[in-house]
Structure formats: C-alpha cells, structure tokens
Amino acid sequence: QVQLVESGGGLVQAGGSLRLSCAASRRTFSRNAMGWFRQAPGKEREFVAAISWTVGSVRYTDSVKGRFTISRDIAKNALYLQMNSLKPEDTAVYYCAARVSVAVSIAKDEYDYWGQGTQVTVSS
C-alpha cells in the first residue's frame, strides 16, 4: 500500500514562507501523479497544486499562482510544496495525495491515496 507522510507545517507570519514535504513509502512512482490539497475548518477540501511524476507537468489553483511551487524529487520519492508570500487565507490542513494515473487532476475524488495532513497557520 502507498503511504504518504507530510511534514513542514507550522505557524508563520503573513508574508512568510514554508516548505511542505511528502514522503512516499513506495520506491517508484513511474505511473503516478501527485498533488496538494487543503482544508480549512467547516470548508471542503480544495485543490492547491499537482504534478505528474514522470513528465513533471504542473497545475495550480489560481489563488496560489506566483506564490506556491510544487516539485518532486524522483530519487527520494518525495513531493514538495514551497509556499511563499503566505496569507491568512492560506491557513488550512494541507494534504499530500497520489493518483495511480499519471495525469494531473484538480478533483479530490480522483486521487487514490492521502497523507494524514499537516497544519499550516498564517497569522496576520
């Protein structure tokens, strides 16, 4: 089974930066796409960014374009989300997700595996 473990969350001041990491238990993800979603209390889980593991194509939600960067390290089986210029509205639990398909998707119901989530809190 694929297991995903996020790290790097925390409390940061508005305008600051954090880098989230997601470590995968499987050794190879040659047919997977991976992404980041976030969920604030009382709200639905929403798409943030995704990347195809093999090709490296990326997709972002409009609200984070120019501020967040998704990347992966194939050798380490790791996914990252560099978050800059953070805003209070970025506050949420951030989840790492993986698909069996290589295609990127913005739909949470198209992802097959999920991490436990890591809390990101941005203070004003």
Side-chain angles (χ1 to χ4, degrees):
Q1 297 289 329
V2 173
Q3 291 187 338
L4 306 173
V5 180
E6 301 99 332
S7 62
L11 176 64
V12 66
Q13 186 178 357
S17 299
L18 286 172
R19 190 175 84 151
L20 305 183
S21 299
C22 175
S25 62
R26 296 178 70 176
R27 301 169 73 93
T28 304
F29 284 88
S30 61
R31 299 294 303 277
N32 289 143
M34 298 188 71
W36 292 96
F37 290 75
R38 64 188 181 186
Q39 186 170 23
K43 298 182 179 180
E44 295 184 352
R45 192 169 300 184
E46 65 176 354
F47 171 77
V48 177
I51 186 168
S52 64
W53 200 254
T54 56
V55 179
S57 57
V58 299
R59 188 171 182 178
Y60 299 94
T61 190
D62 287 342
S63 64
V64 307
K65 288 181 179 178
R67 300 190 298 122
F68 291 10
T69 303
I70 188 171
S71 62
R72 90 290 200 203
D73 187 325
I74 296 175
K76 295 181 178 180
N77 292 322
L79 179 74
Y80 304 100
L81 185 68
Q82 178 66 46
M83 304 185 295
N84 299 326
S85 301
L86 283 162
K87 304 174 181 179
E89 50 262 45
D90 295 317
T91 296
V93 176
Y94 283 70
Y95 296 90
C96 173
R99 299 189 70 198
V100 173
S101 173
V102 69
V104 298
S105 175
I106 66 171
K108 59 182 181 293
D109 58 2
E110 293 187 354
Y111 286 79
D112 305 296
Y113 306 98
W114 295 86
Q116 81 286 354
T118 185
Q119 177 70 48
V120 172
T121 302
V122 184
S123 63
S124 60

